[in-house]
Amino acid sequence: MGLDDFFTGLEVRKSPELKEKPLIVSAGPKDSERRGVVFAASPEARRMGVRAGMEMRKAHKLCPGAVTLPASPLYYESESEKFMEILRWFSPLVESFGPGEAFVEIEGGQSQTQCNGEPLFEKGIALANEMKERVKQDLGLGSSAGVAPNKLLAKLAADFKSPGGLFIVRKNDAAKFLNSLPLKKLPSLGPGMEARLRSLGIKSIRDLSKAQPLFLEKLFGPRSKVLHEQSLGKDTSPVVPFHEPGSITREAVFVQPTGDLSLIRETLYGLTENVTSLLKGSGGKCGAVAVKIGESSFKTLVKSGDLDLETDSMNDIWGAANALLEEAEFSGKVRLVGVKVSRFYDDA
């Protein structure tokens, strides 16, 4: 489930006079509209060709009349947490996929957890409608939802009916649904790989699903396995909750998925500083640290470990977080990184 135009929607909610105007949220410095990169763009700006990750100079050439605002991370973070709390009211199995996006799994037995049982599937549809109503009532924002047997299909279904819709993909309809989508919709497919596939005559998801896995592996290596499985609608990645009562967590989403380990580490360091500051402000100490890595393929990896001694030291917490990052084995590009401290002790 996702909030429609989360960043620009929040800015419009704060300043209603911006409604229906082209709006660009910049990740660059506040002192210039022409520096930095586009963090988010409203539907009006996107219709002019503006996209997240684009240089601001290019964005303003495409959309010269756009209103530009600096990003407000703390504001977005606060509203994102309100959104996640709404979803957790319906199910404890909530995995954030971004500030305004999350996967929600409906609890039950094994067959129900896999969302193959029709009664539970119908329950999921009803709950998706209830979630959308609660989000609109509590946050004043529209949302889109997809109900499907796995995370891949649910994400694609939500995007298919965005903004404001609800789309349902049943197991038997998965192939038909995927074949109606353009190749670029597959989350593991970057622009470079898409161009190479098109040069080989693979121009649709249907074409890709019929390609021989060994042929793809020779061209693209091991990462082609996930891509081919996605073209068939296969996704076995579970919903991985990161939040727990009493913990302190912080997550960051990259404007564009990245494989740059230095950037990932730098981002994790900043998140760890923030978490440590909040921990110190609470007057407590923590006994455990966890790191979350979310790949663009929907695979989520969480590494956690106990500390030798309870602490509120940045050196200790960062040392543990960095070690966990070093242990993490991720193959695809990273979309999200997060850190969590838990097992609190009173500093008395």
Side-chain angles (χ1 to χ4, degrees):
M1 183 173 186
L3 295 173
D4 298 327
D5 301 306
F6 176 63
F7 303 106
T8 56
L10 286 175
E11 296 294 348
V12 170
R13 192 186 69 178
K14 186 166 56 175
S15 305
E17 68 274 12
L18 297 176
K19 187 176 181 180
E20 297 183 358
K21 291 183 179 180
L23 174 63
I24 299 173
V25 176
S26 171
K30 296 181 180 180
D31 61 344
S32 175
E33 292 185 352
R34 307 287 171 174
R35 296 166 58 190
V37 298
V38 175
F39 186 69
S42 68
E44 295 80 10
R46 293 201 301 273
R47 283 196 286 270
M48 301 295 289
V50 180
R51 295 290 183 268
M54 179 181 288
E55 291 185 355
M56 290 295 295
R57 291 181 183 276
K58 181 177 180 180
H60 277 282
K61 286 182 180 179
L62 292 171
C63 191
V67 177
T68 302
L69 295 173
S72 306
L74 295 180
Y75 175 47
Y76 305 149
E77 185 178 304
S78 172
E79 296 306 302
S80 173
E81 184 54 32
K82 292 176 184 177
F83 171 60
M84 298 301 169
E85 283 298 324
I86 291 172
L87 301 186
R88 293 185 196 114
W89 189 87
F90 291 91
S91 170
L93 300 177
V94 175
E95 177 187 336
S96 62
F97 188 61
E101 294 183 89
F103 296 107
V104 183
E105 185 172 305
I106 308 303
E107 286 189 296
Q110 183 177 359
S111 63
Q112 291 179 326
T113 301
Q114 294 173 353
C115 212
N116 291 331
E118 201 63 22
L120 186 74
F121 199 95
E122 297 302 324
K123 179 183 177 182
I125 296 171
L127 287 179
N129 277 305
E130 290 182 35
M131 291 176 195
K132 284 169 57 63
E133 290 178 9
R134 275 282 305 275
V135 167
K136 187 66 176 178
Q137 177 183 332
D138 294 1
L139 300 182
L141 297 173
S143 61
S144 302
V147 182
N150 59 47
K151 289 164 66 174
L152 167 69
L153 293 172
K155 166 64 175 170
L156 293 175
D159 289 347
F160 187 72
K161 278 295 183 178
S162 178
L166 169 63
F167 195 72
I168 300 158
V169 179
R170 300 180 189 275
K171 187 176 182 180
N172 293 337
D173 298 329
K176 181 179 179 181
F177 170 63
L178 284 169
N179 291 339
S180 72
L181 301 177
L183 190 60
K184 64 181 180 181
K185 286 293 184 179
L186 290 179
S188 293
L189 185 64
M193 187 183 291
E194 182 187 0
R196 289 190 64 189
L197 287 171
R198 288 187 176 279
S199 71
L200 297 168
I202 300 175
K203 301 179 180 180
S204 68
I205 292 179
R206 182 192 293 271
D207 292 340
L208 183 59
S209 69
K210 293 180 178 179
Q212 291 297 320
L214 288 178
F215 169 73
L216 294 173
E217 187 174 359
K218 286 181 180 178
L219 288 174
F220 304 110
R223 61 180 175 159
S224 66
K225 181 180 179 182
V226 172
L227 183 64
H228 189 253
E229 287 179 346
Q230 288 186 343
S231 74
L232 297 170
K234 296 180 179 180
D235 178 17
T236 59
S237 57
V239 172
V240 183
F242 195 53
H243 175 273
E244 62 180 285
S247 65
I248 300 175
T249 63
R250 286 295 179 269
E251 299 177 4
V253 178
F254 296 105
V255 175
Q256 295 292 333
T258 181
D260 185 342
L261 185 58
S262 296
L263 176 60
I264 295 169
R265 181 177 287 107
E266 179 184 343
T267 304
L268 183 64
Y269 183 86
L271 295 172
T272 306
E273 279 189 316
N274 186 245
V275 163
T276 303
S277 176
L278 292 170
L279 178 64
K280 288 178 180 291
S282 73
K285 296 182 178 181
C286 69
V289 178
V291 167
K292 174 181 177 180
I293 300 292
E295 296 185 21
S296 56
S297 65
F298 302 130
K299 177 183 176 183
T300 300
L301 177 66
V302 175
K303 300 287 290 184
S304 60
D306 293 334
L307 299 168
D308 294 333
L309 295 171
E310 57 269 23
T311 183
D312 64 357
S313 164
M314 174 61 186
N315 286 340
D316 294 339
I317 296 172
W318 168 241
N322 189 41
L324 293 169
L325 177 63
E326 293 290 339
E327 294 174 12
E329 297 180 358
F330 47 94
S331 54
K333 288 194 173 183
V334 173
R335 183 179 191 271
L336 177 149
V337 63
V339 64
K340 172 175 68 177
V341 293
S342 57
R343 280 184 48 216
F344 296 145
Y345 301 84
D346 290 333
D347 188 11

